[in-house]
Amino acid sequence: MNARTTSIEVMRRRHPEIFMPAWRRNITGIVVFIGLAALLVYGLADLGFLHPRIIEGLGKLVSVFAMMLPPDPGSVERAIIYLKALGETLAIAFLGTLLGAALAFPVGFLAARNATVGRVVHFLTRRSLDTLRGVDVLVWALIWINVVGLGPFAGVLALMTSDIGSFGKLFSEAIEAADKRPVEGVLSTGGGALHRVRFGILPEVLPVMAGQVLYFIESNTRSASIIGIVGAGGIGMHLAEQIRVLEFQHVAFIIVLVLIAVAAIDWVSTRLRLALIGTKRVAMT
Amino acid sequence: MLAQGYRDAVRAKRTRAALIGIGVVVCIALSAVSAEVELGKLFANIDKFASYIGRIFFLENGQPVWTDPVEWYWGIGRWLSLLGETLLIAYVGTALGAVGGIALAFLAASNLSPHPVVRAVTRRYLEFCRTFPNLVFALIFVIAFGLGPLPGVLAIAIHTMGALGKLFFEVIENIDMKPVEGVVASGAAWPTVVRFGAVPQVLSNFVSYTLLRFEINVREASVMGFVGAGGIGQDLIESIRKFYYSDVSAILVLIIITVALIDFGTERIRHRLIDAGTSA
């Protein structure tokens, strides 16, 4: 008994940190947590969450959802208008993604460390891609509306511009992750820089890129469905308008349309992606 | 014989590629008609794009913006406070969404869900939350709660809950079940099982995904003002619509710098988390 207590005393002196209460070992974690929680409370108060208005708003929200049922376009003509707008949305997403991918393809090589033509080019390409991604697609839409006028074409160009930024980055990462050995093989047979890219890198990265393009068509369908809010075509214009005039049954109808379209595209693109790469999963970031 | 077989194989591959190519071209043509693509108009007006980008970097008096930063950033006080509001919207939205996402993820993960029906309902709910872009929710919430940052926060929180909930339950489904079985064997109830069996394994991944989402939400919060849901977006769309050229560049530069700083900061924290996770 006595021997045991002394040995615990010895251990306590030798490893004081292990005998600390649990909360003291993790003091930084607790301080960070309290800081974040305090910021959250401040934010809630500052942004109006503690105002009685929120109770009133919740009541209104319930009545808005009640007004949405059942989803109903009103008349067959309206339904046809919405369906056409949905087609336009899909067209915007498809063309925007494709154009963005086509333009980002060469840029991706310039932005990849192992395929670029110089460090300065590499750096400048990276920073330009960051800028393209940093500006929201709605802002690009507003800028393109100045160029080609209101309508879906501006939406296509806006999605294209922001996709160049995303694809450029993703493509360059795919290229950087490519296996070095095929490239060395091509080099050893006396191939030039273009041969190296065409036969050493392309066969490996093309399926990855195609997978990413398919994935983006799906996420761009969501973006294309709101781009109409600023006048760049697609179903978003009708959605925003019907919300403003409080025609919530129309709103619900449009929402259901978009849900079905996104689910369908998700299904098709997953199938195509699996066909492209076998059963391996595409890494999405 | 062999040569013939090789030719056949190559021909089959080429026919397939040609068919896919034709399919894609048909889709492009159909989409081009539907999206009213007018290449003539684009090429005729492409100089307007360049001149717009150029134009926003000039002040009213025709001088480039960097010659007179005080004039360029005349509204810096107002813009900084709006930018602060934008960050706060993103932070509160992310925090609320992450808390909701964590709670729902444990109900949706197939290895820890208390009941299959609970799991199915939770998963459908998460899908619904993430299918719609933030702005759709924001538009509806603006009707219910009035103009201001409140609907923006709620919209971001709901979308974040859907997106993070899905990532989280995938993380949970990949955990090692042995600690969980250990806690179950000691007779613990469901909340205790989750707390001591699962949470220690998933926490660093959760934090990492939440930081990534925060980064995305800062961008999203910067356009919430387009529909009247608070933040710097209101001033941005106003200056674009009213052709206050130098204000457009001033606000965009502020947003881009903020987003870049946050990207940089969260990436460093995430790397430290990942390093700590692998060494532990």
Side-chain angles (χ1 to χ4, degrees):
Chain A
M1 190 65 203
N2 201 8
R4 197 190 259 168
T5 34
T6 43
S7 79
I8 287 180
E9 283 305 314
V10 171
M11 291 314 254
R12 195 189 289 275
R13 241 175 287 131
R14 209 178 283 162
H15 305 286
E17 70 281 357
I18 291 175
F19 285 89
M20 273 182 199
W23 64 270
R24 275 185 59 191
R25 255 185 280 166
N26 208 356
I27 194 86
T28 33
I30 289 170
V31 169
V32 169
F33 182 78
I34 290 176
L36 288 175
L39 186 58
L40 179 62
V41 172
Y42 168 76
L44 287 174
D46 190 54
L47 299 174
F49 272 84
L50 307 179
H51 198 267
R53 188 171 77 135
I54 193 162
I55 310 279
E56 217 176 287
L58 284 174
K60 265 196 208 161
L61 196 60
V62 171
S63 66
V64 164
F65 282 125
M67 276 194 278
M68 283 189 172
L69 299 170
D72 181 14
S75 64
V76 182
E77 289 84 57
R78 294 301 295 176
I80 291 173
I81 291 175
Y82 294 148
L83 279 173
K84 266 179 92 172
L86 183 70
E88 207 175 278
T89 303
L90 297 181
I92 293 172
F94 180 69
L95 280 184
T97 315
L98 229 53
L99 281 173
L103 292 174
F105 183 71
V107 181
F109 284 94
L110 293 182
R113 219 174 301 120
N114 53 346
T116 187
V117 289
R119 286 194 62 175
V120 179
V121 176
H122 170 74
F123 180 81
L124 288 179
T125 329
R126 285 254 147 156
R127 292 294 84 73
S128 332
L129 290 177
D130 287 346
T131 312
L132 286 181
R133 267 180 300 124
V135 176
D136 194 86
V137 69
L138 287 178
V139 176
W140 285 121
L142 286 165
I143 294 176
W144 280 112
I145 284 171
N146 282 324
V147 179
V148 295
L150 291 168
F153 191 29
V156 172
L157 293 170
L159 278 184
M160 174 194 86
T161 318
S162 88
D163 277 3
I164 293 175
S166 320
F167 279 139
K169 180 169 186 248
L170 288 174
F171 287 179
S172 71
E173 278 166 5
I175 294 165
E176 281 175 2
D179 193 349
K180 255 194 314 215
R181 280 166 297 185
V183 180
E184 282 163 7
V186 175
L187 273 182
S188 71
T189 61
L194 275 180
H195 288 126
R196 214 173 64 196
V197 170
R198 167 65 185 87
F199 297 102
I201 299 178
L202 259 194
E204 199 179 335
V205 296
L206 217 45
V208 178
M209 290 179 178
Q212 282 162 346
V213 170
L214 284 169
Y215 179 79
F216 262 70
I217 289 182
E218 184 206 328
S219 81
N220 277 339
T221 308
R222 296 165 211 253
S223 308
S225 67
I226 51 159
I227 212 165
I229 290 174
V230 296
I235 206 160
M237 188 191 78
H238 296 288
L239 187 62
E241 200 180 284
Q242 298 306 320
I243 290 177
R244 282 201 192 108
V245 298
L246 309 180
E247 283 282 2
F248 286 109
Q249 288 187 315
H250 289 220
V251 173
F253 181 76
I254 294 173
I255 287 178
V256 170
L257 275 188
V258 176
L259 271 178
I260 295 172
V262 171
I265 289 190
D266 186 21
W267 189 82
V268 172
S269 84
T270 310
R271 280 298 125 89
L272 285 176
R273 252 174 23 220
L274 288 181
L276 264 175
I277 50 163
T279 48
K280 256 192 303 176
R281 282 183 55 187
V282 190
M284 284 304 151
T285 42
Chain B
M1 238 345 237
L2 204 60
Q4 181 64 36
Y6 176 72
R7 269 198 297 276
D8 284 350
V10 168
R11 196 176 303 135
K13 211 176 147 191
R14 288 209 175 128
T15 331
R16 225 187 72 174
L19 279 178
I20 292 175
I22 292 171
V24 171
V25 168
V26 169
C27 284
I28 290 176
L30 282 177
S31 312
V33 173
S34 172
E36 297 165 26
V37 171
E38 292 168 73
L39 288 178
K41 203 165 162 194
L42 174 64
F43 288 122
N45 293 332
I46 190 73
D47 56 304
K48 273 198 201 162
F49 181 74
S51 75
Y52 187 87
I53 301 288
R55 185 84 190 269
I56 61 175
F57 288 104
F58 284 91
L59 297 169
E60 295 271 278
N61 59 16
Q63 294 296 310
V65 284
W66 45 87
T67 56
D68 193 352
V70 177
E71 175 67 23
W72 186 25
Y73 276 101
W74 65 273
I76 185 76
R78 179 182 159 72
W79 291 331
L80 280 182
S81 86
L82 280 174
L83 200 63
E85 186 180 85
T86 308
L87 289 176
L88 205 56
I89 292 174
Y91 173 70
V92 175
T94 312
L96 293 179
V99 170
I102 289 174
L104 293 179
F106 284 104
L107 298 177
S110 50
N111 50 350
L112 280 179
S113 182
H115 195 275
V117 176
V118 176
R119 186 182 76 204
V121 171
T122 316
R123 286 197 176 191
R124 291 298 90 70
Y125 176 70
L126 290 175
E127 255 164 42
F128 177 80
C129 287
R130 68 173 181 275
T131 296
F132 278 95
N134 282 331
L135 281 180
V136 176
F137 283 117
L139 276 169
I140 293 175
F141 290 157
V142 164
I143 299 282
F145 295 99
L147 297 171
L150 185 71
V153 174
L154 289 177
I156 287 181
I158 289 202
H159 192 89
T160 302
M161 184 164 67
L164 284 183
K166 177 184 191 240
L167 290 171
F168 287 173
F169 84 64
E170 282 172 357
V171 171
I172 295 169
E173 286 181 350
N174 286 324
I175 61 171
D176 181 1
M177 285 305 279
K178 274 173 247 162
V180 178
E181 281 160 18
V183 185
V184 172
S186 72
W190 188 76
T192 323
V193 172
V194 168
R195 164 67 187 88
F196 293 101
V199 168
Q201 296 188 54
V202 295
L203 204 59
S204 71
N205 263 325
F206 280 13
V207 174
S208 174
Y209 280 134
T210 306
L211 286 171
L212 259 184
R213 195 71 220 176
F214 175 62
E215 204 181 295
I216 297 170
N217 284 344
V218 172
R219 291 167 213 255
E220 298 274 340
S222 70
V223 295
M224 275 294 160
F226 282 30
V227 296
I232 202 166
Q234 181 83 48
D235 271 37
L236 178 60
I237 196 165
E238 222 175 275
S239 53
I240 295 177
R241 286 257 160 87
K242 293 184 178 163
F243 302 106
Y244 300 150
Y245 290 104
S246 63
D247 288 7
V248 175
S249 66
I251 296 174
L252 280 180
V253 168
L254 270 185
I255 295 177
I256 290 173
I257 290 176
T258 311
V259 168
L261 282 179
I262 287 178
D263 277 15
F264 181 74
T266 52
E267 204 175 314
R268 293 207 39 188
I269 300 177
R270 285 195 303 122
H271 277 296
R272 275 185 54 185
L273 274 176
I274 293 166
D275 290 345
T278 48
S279 66

